[in-house]
Amino acid sequence: MSKQKKGVVKSIFKYFFLFIILISLLGGIVLMAGYLAIANSFPDVKTQNIDSLLQETSFIYDDEGNISEKIQSNVYRTIVPIEDIPMQLQRAFTSIEDERFYEHFGIDVKRLFGALWHDIKVGALAQGGSTITMQLSKNLLTTSDPNFTRKLTDIVYAMEMEKRLSKTQILYAYLNTVFLGSNVHGVQAAAKSYFNKNVSELNLAESAMIAGITQYPTKYIPYKLKEISYGEDVSNMQLKLYPPNNSYIPTENDLQVYSVLRNTGKIDQYEYMLLKNGSLVVTKAELNPDSVNRQKVVLKKMLELGAINNEQYQEALNTPIIISFPPRNNSGISSYFNDRVKSEAVKILIELGNSEEKANNLLKFGGLKIYSTLNTKIQRILENEFADSSNFPNSFVDDNGVIQPQGAMVVIDQKTGYVKALIGGRGQAGNYIYDRTDSPRQPGSAIKPLAVYLLALKDGMRPTTIIDDSPRKDDSMPGGYWPNNIYNVYYGNATMKKLLEVSSNVAAVKTLETLGSTRIKAINRSLDYLEQMGFAHLVRSSQNTVSNDENLSLALGGITNGVTPLEMASAYSGIANLGKQIKPSFITKIVDANDKLIYEFRPNIFEMIDEENAYRMTDMLQGVVINGSGKSAILDNMPSAGKTGTTDSRKDVYFVGYTPYYTASVWIGADTPAPLDYSSGVPATIWKKVMNGIDRELNLQNVSFQAPSTMNVEKEKEEEQKVIDMRRTDPGQEQLLDGLLFNENGENSVQNNSQKNQNVDNTQNSNENTTQQTRQPVQQQPVQQQPAQQNTTQQQDTAPPPEVPYEDTNNNNNAVSDDSSSIF
């Protein structure tokens, strides 16, 4: 080659070399600019806040610290420290996912270029070449979108992450976030989901199987689901229950299988109902052969890299893999209680300064530990009684396919305010079903102790105070008298205790009228008192001038919107706790993912009445159970106190009562109010069964209701007996409340009209109830009366005749409200 040609070639090579250098410099500058641009968007990931990036499943615990529910979301993850993750599991992941993990700076250049060359040949992003650090970036900081921009971002983020975090911290975060199939994220959740073990308990064979899932989670998940055939042995079968993708109608084989599973205890009644209506399907789980093959690949790679020796390798190959699912949360228990816990938790989180959206995200993904007040043993007793159809005679299914009548029950520990159990319906299952414990309905006579007699005791009346249970004249009502007692039976001048036992309507209304200087003031005083107890559905005239609760029907439970079983149980728990009502709670404390306490229950106490009068009310309510309308609630081995309630046409029936340990309310009624062929004895019987069950299950000792230390109970009993003896020997000695006597025609007698003004004054000062009247001898039994005739002959304080059972149905027609000082 000539010298001239050589010079030309040399010049071309020189310029080409300079061009390459220039292009490389420009490329380097572009890459550096791109790197810096991406690096500048790198989140603030450092040692101090790595835990805050790890979304974690929240759990609800019962009062014994057992998991009651894993709160459902699209992520099941439980964070564990790296020290709890076995070294053989760590090595299984690094061996199969990133063999040079401890050597590279975030990217494995050899693996990356190998994957890039493969992708160029196939013309697609087929191989990732991702390191564990890059995968962590994808899991925590970017997305799973298979595009070049995301891949480049993960490369930069991985390099930045390696600058800020140690290899141990990176592996800790990765092993707690890696997707391992079936909504399972992290090795602890995988160990629990597939083998029912904590991650620290995994053997080498199980560790290799879990590490093998990552390449293809849907293919390498450790189990396969198969249909169950009728006749198969289900005793050791692992079941998977899940909602179907589309509507599903069970086949005859399905229904037979469901019955076998229920009868053998493999599923509970609620799961059985959901399976029958197609809301769930059930399959069996068997070991997945593809997962076994992948496990062998992982073990072979570990052996090649020296992570295990040949002996460990052979032992792992020969170790049987047993699929074992954890027990389903709260098997046999409906979702009513935990639904309420979750809604209360969100309210608490909002009160702590979080937005509603953030509160809900914290509940689902914040790794919260919510310690509830639930006593699982008591809850199961409620579930069993409400599943027993014999407790609800004459049941039927309505047009919506819902069994009727429905019912609800709440159990509260009166000493703490903790709600220990709750059920909001029967024959229903699933999440966020209609909770009738928080649905207002009319309480009937069960409101009388709260709306009337507690205030009367506060005003100085006593259980032995005499009230005239004669027809009450009311010119605003048809017939001129209101209200009627049940069966039109009137008890004449009787003690307040006796008239509560027989659930006299007249006595309740007359007593309510004494609670203020005018009728309207008395009514509003009662409404104020009920609102302080927590009744949230009362209606004032300022809210609705036409339909409101500012009338005398309040004394009888004729409340416009009604009250809830939870409100009733809470109010009665205040009486049971010697006048100190601790507002109900479902949560004792909440801790965050780092076990930092963020909420702790602090009692909100309403001093509803002093201890002595609270005990007097308990004595009166014990009388209701022993002698009156609540006899169905007499317990086997424990004292009980309570009150029945029945509304007009028996559309709602109630019993609310308590023992020295627990307070509970039971409501029964159709969802669309309709007359029931029930008395209040039906809820009282359910209450009795539940409370007897609690006493047996918790081995509670038979103790008496605690009396205040300042109270001379024996002296009060002696005084009460004196009143009873005096009335037996001299029925003419009467301590009248209203001082109004009626003759056979229902008119005020001339004899007593002269004292009318004096006795009205006495009722306006309810501490002065001592006016005595001389009366004609009374009959020895209550008399059934027809309103038209108004036979008002007074009766002695005795029980009604055997053929007239106690009942507490009210006539809740709203009486006319006014501001008159003529209270009767």
Side-chain angles (χ1 to χ4, degrees):
M1 180 182 294
S2 66
K3 192 181 274 190
Q4 185 178 3
K5 287 183 177 180
K6 286 182 178 179
V8 171
V9 171
K10 188 175 181 181
S11 296
I12 291 173
F13 181 78
K14 177 182 178 182
Y15 285 115
F16 179 75
F17 182 72
L18 290 173
F19 176 76
I20 293 298
I21 291 175
L22 180 62
I23 291 297
S24 298
L25 287 172
L26 289 174
I29 292 172
V30 170
L31 287 174
M32 181 59 69
Y35 179 91
L36 292 174
I38 295 174
N40 285 335
S41 67
F42 182 72
D44 184 25
V45 176
K46 51 191 176 184
T47 301
Q48 290 80 2
N49 71 349
I50 186 67
D51 285 334
S52 67
L53 299 175
L54 307 182
Q55 287 187 350
E56 186 173 357
T57 301
S58 296
F59 288 88
I60 299 173
Y61 297 83
D62 66 14
D63 63 356
E64 292 185 346
N66 300 313
I67 292 177
S68 175
E69 181 178 333
K70 171 174 66 72
I71 296 178
Q72 295 297 322
S73 66
N74 59 353
V75 174
Y76 171 28
R77 178 186 291 131
T78 301
I79 307 300
V80 291
I82 192 71
E83 295 80 14
D84 288 353
I85 302 175
M87 186 56 67
Q88 60 193 14
L89 179 58
Q90 297 181 39
R91 289 172 177 169
F93 272 95
T94 56
S95 296
I96 199 65
E97 288 294 305
D98 191 355
E99 62 183 85
R100 284 175 288 276
F101 171 71
Y102 289 102
E103 301 165 14
H104 62 63
F105 55 92
I107 59 173
D108 185 340
V109 176
K110 180 180 178 181
R111 186 179 181 189
L112 184 63
F113 277 102
L116 180 61
W117 178 247
H118 179 272
D119 290 348
I120 290 172
K121 287 192 297 182
V122 300
L125 294 173
Q127 284 194 1
S130 296
T131 63
I132 281 177
T133 317
M134 290 169 63
Q135 290 183 56
L136 179 61
S137 171
K138 180 185 68 175
N139 292 341
L140 288 187
L141 307 177
T142 61
T143 68
S144 298
D145 295 337
N147 59 64
F148 180 77
T149 301
R150 196 271 300 169
K151 195 78 171 178
L152 182 61
T153 301
D154 284 337
I155 290 173
V156 175
Y157 279 7
M159 296 169 67
E160 289 296 314
M161 203 177 295
E162 293 268 353
K163 297 177 184 178
R164 293 165 169 80
L165 302 174
S166 69
K167 290 290 187 180
T168 300
Q169 289 170 328
I170 291 170
L171 190 59
Y172 154 75
Y174 170 75
L175 292 175
N176 277 300
T177 57
V178 59
F179 176 58
L180 295 169
S182 189
N183 287 339
V184 172
H185 294 251
V187 292
Q188 170 66 14
K192 273 292 184 185
S193 295
Y194 305 138
F195 306 120
N196 192 26
K197 293 182 176 181
N198 288 317
V199 67
S200 60
E201 301 170 324
L202 293 177
N203 58 43
L204 177 57
E206 294 162 340
S207 296
M209 183 165 282
I210 287 178
I213 298 172
T214 57
Q215 186 186 51
Y216 199 159
T218 56
K219 180 178 180 180
Y220 295 134
I221 189 172
Y223 61 83
K224 281 188 175 296
L225 298 177
K226 295 186 177 180
E227 184 178 342
I228 306 170
S229 299
Y230 179 65
E232 286 190 76
D233 181 11
V234 300
S235 56
N236 295 316
M237 190 176 288
Q238 293 296 304
L239 303 179
K240 194 75 172 178
L241 283 77
Y242 52 92
N245 292 327
N246 301 304
S247 59
Y248 183 75
I249 300 176
T251 65
E252 185 61 33
N253 176 77
D254 291 334
L255 295 174
Q256 291 176 326
V257 168
Y258 300 162
S259 294
V260 171
L261 293 176
R262 183 187 60 172
N263 293 336
T264 55
K266 299 290 287 185
I267 61 174
D268 62 48
Q269 177 66 21
Y270 289 96
E271 292 165 335
Y272 178 70
M273 287 189 296
L274 290 173
L275 287 166
K276 283 184 65 179
N277 66 28
S279 298
L280 283 180
V281 293
V282 61
T283 53
K284 63 180 179 180
E286 296 181 350
L287 185 63
N288 180 7
D290 291 332
S291 181
V292 174
N293 292 334
R294 179 64 178 167
Q295 173 214 37
K296 294 177 181 178
V297 172
V298 175
L299 289 170
K300 185 70 173 177
K301 188 68 174 178
M302 293 179 74
L303 179 64
E304 290 175 2
L305 295 174
I308 57 175
N309 57 37
N310 190 65
E311 182 181 352
Q312 291 171 314
Y313 172 70
Q314 293 297 332
E315 182 182 355
L317 288 177
N318 295 323
T319 300
I321 296 291
I322 300 174
I323 299 298
S324 178
F325 296 145
R328 294 185 295 280
N329 293 325
N330 273 341
S331 178
I333 290 180
S334 59
S335 66
Y336 289 109
F337 194 97
N338 282 343
D339 285 351
R340 186 60 183 258
V341 169
K342 285 178 276 191
S343 65
E344 291 294 318
V346 169
K347 290 178 185 177
I348 289 169
L349 293 170
I350 291 173
E351 290 172 358
L352 292 174
N354 299 288
S355 66
E356 183 175 356
E357 180 181 6
K358 185 176 181 181
N360 279 291
N361 284 334
L362 281 172
L363 178 67
K364 293 179 181 178
F365 311 117
L368 302 179
K369 297 179 181 67
I370 303 169
Y371 292 88
S372 79
T373 61
L374 172 68
N375 184 294
T376 303
K377 293 177 181 178
I378 297 178
Q379 183 68 33
R380 290 189 192 282
I381 294 171
L382 266 67
E383 302 283 352
N384 291 337
E385 294 301 339
F386 272 66
D388 186 349
S389 59
S390 67
N391 287 328
F392 301 86
N394 305 317
S395 295
F396 63 95
V397 176
D398 66 16
D399 294 339
N400 297 317
V402 179
I403 194 168
Q404 301 292 347
Q406 274 296 324
M409 186 171 186
V410 181
V411 179
I412 295 178
D413 180 344
Q414 58 251 23
K415 301 294 184 184
T416 61
Y418 293 166
V419 180
K420 307 308 294 182
L422 172 151
I423 189 165
R426 67 189 191 101
Q428 294 181 284
N431 288 328
Y432 293 99
I433 44 185
Y434 179 41
D435 182 3
R436 295 162 185 84
T437 64
D438 205 31
S439 177
R441 294 285 288 263
Q442 290 195 6
S445 292
I447 203 69
K448 289 174 181 175
L450 307 173
V452 178
Y453 292 116
L454 281 174
L455 286 172
L457 290 172
K458 291 181 76 170
D459 284 351
M461 293 177 66
R462 291 292 177 262
T464 53
T465 298
I466 303 301
I467 302 172
D468 182 10
D469 186 45
S470 297
R472 173 185 170 277
K473 191 171 179 60
D474 192 327
D475 294 334
S476 66
M477 303 302 296
Y481 292 89
W482 181 89
N484 294 332
N485 283 349
I486 182 64
Y487 304 121
N488 289 313
V489 174
Y490 298 84
Y491 293 82
N493 291 318
T495 63
M496 183 166 70
K497 180 178 180 180
K498 170 56 68 177
L499 294 175
L500 180 60
E501 289 175 3
V502 300
S503 201
S504 164
N505 292 332
V506 169
V509 170
K510 288 183 177 182
T511 305
L512 174 60
E513 290 178 297
T514 71
L515 302 181
S517 58
T518 65
R519 178 181 295 170
I520 194 61
K521 288 181 180 179
I523 292 168
N524 277 301
R525 181 186 176 200
S526 178
L527 288 171
D528 291 342
Y529 193 45
L530 292 173
E531 286 179 348
Q532 287 178 296
M533 294 180 198
F535 290 95
H537 304 281
L538 303 173
V539 181
R540 301 296 187 113
S541 59
S542 58
Q543 298 169 288
N544 189 324
T545 57
V546 177
S547 181
N548 58 69
D549 297 320
E550 293 183 9
N551 54 71
L552 294 175
S553 291
L554 175 66
L556 311 180
I559 298 173
T560 305
N561 291 334
V563 300
T564 71
L566 178 58
E567 291 170 345
M568 291 294 283
S570 174
Y572 271 76
S573 74
I575 307 172
N577 195 35
L578 287 178
K580 296 178 178 62
Q581 180 193 8
I582 305 174
K583 297 304 173 65
S585 172
F586 291 83
I587 297 172
T588 59
K589 66 178 179 179
I590 302 175
V591 300
D592 65 14
N594 297 316
D595 287 332
K596 177 184 177 182
L597 182 68
I598 61 175
Y599 166 80
E600 188 169 23
F601 171 68
R602 288 181 173 80
N604 178 8
I605 302 174
F606 169 47
E607 301 274 355
M608 61 193 307
I609 197 168
D610 64 274
E611 290 188 352
E612 292 190 4
N613 277 318
Y615 184 80
R616 292 184 181 107
M617 178 55 73
T618 292
D619 180 63
M620 292 169 65
L621 293 173
Q622 276 190 277
V624 173
V625 172
I626 296 170
N627 303 312
S629 58
K631 286 185 176 181
S632 297
I634 296 175
L635 300 180
D636 294 343
N637 193 38
M638 191 74 67
S640 58
K643 184 69 185 75
T644 52
T646 309
T647 64
D648 282 348
S649 303
R650 300 184 179 183
K651 294 177 182 177
D652 301 88
V653 286
Y654 247 110
F655 183 80
V656 193
Y658 50 91
T659 71
Y661 296 96
Y662 295 105
T663 303
S665 64
V666 182
W667 165 84
I668 299 175
D671 285 333
T672 300
L676 302 175
D677 187 21
Y678 280 22
S679 72
S680 55
V682 176
T685 299
I686 295 174
W687 186 94
K688 172 183 179 176
K689 290 182 177 181
V690 167
M691 302 308 268
N692 275 336
I694 292 173
D695 293 344
R696 288 191 298 268
E697 183 68 27
L698 303 186
N699 196 26
L700 299 178
Q701 293 184 345
N702 185 342
V703 295
S704 301
F705 287 107
Q706 179 186 358
S709 58
T710 59
M711 190 174 186
N712 190 333
V713 177
E714 291 300 321
K715 183 178 179 182
E716 294 215 2
K717 288 294 182 184
E718 290 174 3
E719 292 175 354
E720 180 180 349
Q721 190 61 46
K722 286 180 181 178
V723 172
I724 294 173
D725 293 342
M726 177 189 69
R727 291 173 53 70
R728 285 174 177 166
T729 58
D730 187 5
Q733 296 293 319
E734 307 291 359
Q735 183 182 6
L736 293 179
L737 175 67
D738 60 3
L740 299 181
L741 303 182
F742 292 83
N743 61 24
E744 293 181 358
N745 297 319
E747 299 295 336
N748 291 347
S749 68
V750 175
Q751 173 186 355
N752 290 290
N753 275 340
S754 62
Q755 297 186 9
K756 178 177 180 180
N757 293 334
Q758 174 187 348
N759 288 306
V760 168
D761 290 340
N762 287 340
T763 58
Q764 292 174 5
N765 182 348
S766 52
N767 288 323
E768 300 293 329
N769 291 312
T770 59
T771 304
Q772 295 185 349
Q773 299 292 325
T774 301
R775 303 291 309 277
Q776 296 298 318
V778 297
Q779 296 181 0
Q780 298 302 307
Q781 298 286 358
V783 177
Q784 282 194 295
Q785 305 173 15
Q786 300 300 322
Q789 297 176 348
Q790 291 300 333
N791 183 351
T792 59
T793 305
Q794 302 297 321
Q795 292 86 28
Q796 188 175 341
D797 185 15
T798 56
E803 65 272 18
V804 183
Y806 284 126
E807 184 56 276
D808 55 7
T809 301
N810 295 329
N811 304 92
N812 292 332
N813 305 14
N814 286 350
V816 176
S817 298
D818 58 36
D819 200 37
S820 170
S821 61
S822 177
I823 58 177
F824 297 111

